[in-house]
Amino acid sequence: MHQDMDQEITGFHAHIYYRPETKPAAKAVREQLGAMFDVTLGRWHDKPVGPHPISMYQVAFATEEFEKVVPWLMLNRQGLDILVHPETGHDLEDHRDHALWLGQKLKLNLEMFEAA
């Protein structure tokens, strides 16, 4: 597979996954992220949405924030599974090939990107 070395990362998304019993932990992580970092907190999705197999919310942040946000998530994820991926304009590759997982790697529903 050929990788385009000129791809530009315009930002990052972290998807914080939770189940009903872990939603309080997800809420605590969310509140701390919002208070401590320059991030944009997305809506709560209590049902699977897009390629995401379980409930989640998205946290968007600039490339300059990566070195602050991701190490903090590594140490403070409270047992939650988290997908971190770049924004390059290539959704399939960003979620499948360029992704970083903290915790369990969940099986994403990537068919929606493959059809695009």
Side-chain angles (χ1 to χ4, degrees), residues 5-108:
M5 300 305 283
D6 295 327
Q7 274 186 349
E8 181 183 351
I9 296 174
T10 58
F12 288 91
H13 289 169
H15 298 278
I16 316 292
Y17 296 101
Y18 61 91
R19 292 179 167 76
E21 64 273 15
T22 60
K23 192 169 183 178
K27 184 175 188 290
V29 169
R30 179 185 177 88
E31 289 172 355
Q32 292 174 64
L33 282 167
M36 297 172 56
F37 303 103
D38 184 10
V39 297
T40 301
L41 300 172
R43 294 187 311 274
W44 290 90
H45 295 280
D46 288 332
K47 293 184 164 78
V49 61
H52 307 287
I54 66 170
S55 303
M56 66 94 200
Y57 61 84
Q58 173 182 286
V59 180
F61 51 98
T63 56
E64 301 79 36
E65 292 295 302
F66 183 94
E67 66 185 37
K68 298 175 217 164
V69 173
V70 174
W72 186 88
L73 284 171
M74 289 174 167
L75 299 178
N76 297 282
R77 64 185 180 84
Q78 297 195 33
L80 300 169
D81 300 319
I82 301 174
L83 164 65
V84 179
H85 69 79
E87 283 289 295
T88 67
H90 303 280
D91 289 332
L92 176 61
E93 290 84 358
D94 290 348
H95 286 79
R96 182 189 66 198
D97 303 331
H98 307 145
L100 164 69
W101 285 92
L102 305 176
Q104 287 281 115
K105 180 178 181 179
L106 305 180
K107 180 164 175 40
L108 301 178

